[in-house]
Amino acid sequence: MSQVRRVVVDTDTGIDDAHTLLYLAGRPDAEIVAISSVFGNCLEEDATRNIGYVTRLLGLEVPIARGAAEPIAGVAHIAGYVHGKDGLGDRGYDRPLPEVTGESGAELLVRLAHERPGELDLLALGPLTNLGLALRIDPELFTRYRSVVLMGGSGPYAEPGTLLMIDANVNNDPEAARAVFAAPRNELVMVGVNVTAGTILDERAIAALRAAPGSRARFAVEILETYLDFYQNEWGRRIIPLHDPLAAGILLDPAFATAWTDGPVNVVTDGFLARARLMRTVDGLPPAFPHEPAPPTRVVTNVDATRFVADFVEVLSR
């Protein structure tokens, strides 16, 4: 077994975030150390309630901190139309607020990094607001984490004529994202929509989860329905992309990423949406306009989706 990764999870606990917590808890090479909430897939309070529900299901007792309820600047865009108003598909689960540490999400991220420098990995699954606020407390924060892996970004500039899914986590707080990509770090890994959108939990994989025994697989399938309702409008099939779980998979097993590029990432906008982009074209050239210098980010550009999906289903089916 590979070395255990001790993971601090920052999450806007929607459906694929909950799947990610199930996946991490089922991997013998992962230990969830603490969890902070943030707005995004649902309101921050619902994200916290969902953390409590999932950790109780898992029998997991870890520190939980309530994080940002809105972006550093601008207006929050809550994705209730994707994840249900409560973030877990509006299934009517009993979701009391869990016991929390009393510190903010940003303060939790800073405290743990100072208490255990070089030991922890930070996995960011939602808007980057808590990370941006934490960097205001400690600008060297990311140098104290073993690595920071985030689900967000859009990779390098795409092939002309190609459209990508919205980079929702960056678009929800571009100011925080700019701070994250500019900060000094040991290792920052961007797992963006350029690779997550094609990592598909298809009908066969969903059927395997439905057939699996146990409360974890049953819960994973229960919360899928609202997600499937949304994504059927994209592809005409009741299938979903594994956005957040893929980021966790790459944190634990970097070989799931079969190609990447290290380079500067900028947050750019077309006046409508903000995206985090590697400042490279599909041909590996700099973009045709000036961009800001930044420390290198490891930007994943291709993944072994088949192997990851098989692993995800196997872990949740145990």
Side-chain angles (χ1 to χ4, degrees):
M1 185 178 69
S2 61
Q3 183 177 358
V4 173
R5 293 280 188 136
R6 295 171 175 84
V7 186
V8 179
V9 183
D10 185 74
T11 174
D12 57 341
T13 331
I15 291 167
D16 60 331
D17 306 71
H19 285 161
T20 304
L21 294 175
L22 296 177
Y23 177 72
L24 287 170
R27 286 276 305 231
D29 53 352
E31 175 191 348
I32 299 173
V33 171
I35 309 173
S36 54
S37 65
V38 67
F39 75 96
N41 291 329
C42 51
L43 297 174
E44 179 279 324
E45 180 177 312
D46 283 308
T48 303
R49 291 180 183 276
N50 295 344
I51 292 168
Y53 185 86
V54 176
T55 53
R56 286 193 301 275
L57 178 70
L58 292 169
L60 183 65
E61 295 185 7
V62 297
I64 300 169
R66 296 188 63 173
E70 59 187 12
I72 291 173
V75 178
H77 303 282
I78 305 300
Y81 55 94
V82 181
H83 297 266
K85 184 178 179 182
D86 71 357
L88 290 182
D90 296 326
R91 302 283 303 180
Y93 297 122
D94 182 23
R95 303 174 302 121
L97 280 169
E99 182 178 346
V100 296
T101 63
E103 63 201 320
S104 71
E107 290 167 340
L108 174 74
L109 301 184
V110 172
R111 176 174 64 80
L112 292 173
H114 280 258
E115 289 177 353
R116 303 171 67 174
E119 294 183 21
L120 306 177
D121 296 282
L122 175 57
L123 177 63
L125 304 178
L128 298 172
T129 311
N130 289 337
L131 280 66
L133 293 172
L135 287 167
R136 292 183 174 185
I137 300 170
D138 180 5
E140 301 290 323
L141 177 67
F142 294 168
T143 69
R144 308 184 201 285
Y145 279 96
R146 176 174 169 174
S147 74
V148 179
V149 178
L150 60 92
M151 192 277 119
S154 298
Y157 282 89
E159 188 80 31
T162 301
L163 297 177
L164 290 173
M165 286 183 180
I166 293 172
D167 181 2
N169 287 340
V170 168
N171 189 57
N172 239 328
D173 196 338
E175 183 169 332
R178 288 187 182 96
V180 166
F181 289 110
R185 73 290 298 266
N186 285 330
E187 181 179 63
L188 178 63
V189 180
M190 186 172 90
V191 184
V193 294
N194 56 305
V195 289
T196 63
T199 303
I200 301 295
L201 192 72
D202 64 11
E203 295 91 347
R204 180 177 295 182
I206 293 169
L209 281 178
R210 290 189 194 281
S215 58
R216 297 184 189 189
R218 183 168 60 250
F219 170 67
V221 170
E222 284 177 355
I223 61 177
L224 270 181
E225 293 306 315
T226 299
Y227 215 31
L228 291 167
D229 289 345
F230 174 78
Y231 276 109
Q232 70 184 8
N233 296 314
E234 291 289 325
W235 298 302
R237 295 167 57 186
R238 292 183 67 76
I239 58 179
I240 62 163
L242 292 172
H243 293 298
D244 292 342
L246 179 63
I250 288 172
L251 188 160
L252 299 176
D253 182 355
F256 283 131
T258 57
W260 59 84
T261 300
D262 294 327
V265 170
N266 282 191
V267 176
V268 296
T269 181
D270 57 9
F272 177 58
L273 295 173
R275 290 185 182 272
R277 293 271 198 189
L278 174 68
M279 291 292 102
R280 297 287 186 271
T281 68
V282 69
D283 301 315
L285 301 173
F289 50 82
H291 59 274
E292 295 294 324
T297 294
R298 174 149 291 189
V299 178
V300 178
T301 56
N302 205 356
V303 298
D304 188 342
T306 300
R307 188 170 75 87
F308 172 71
V309 171
D311 184 64
F312 176 82
V313 171
E314 193 275 329
V315 170
L316 266 64
S317 298
R318 290 173 186 160

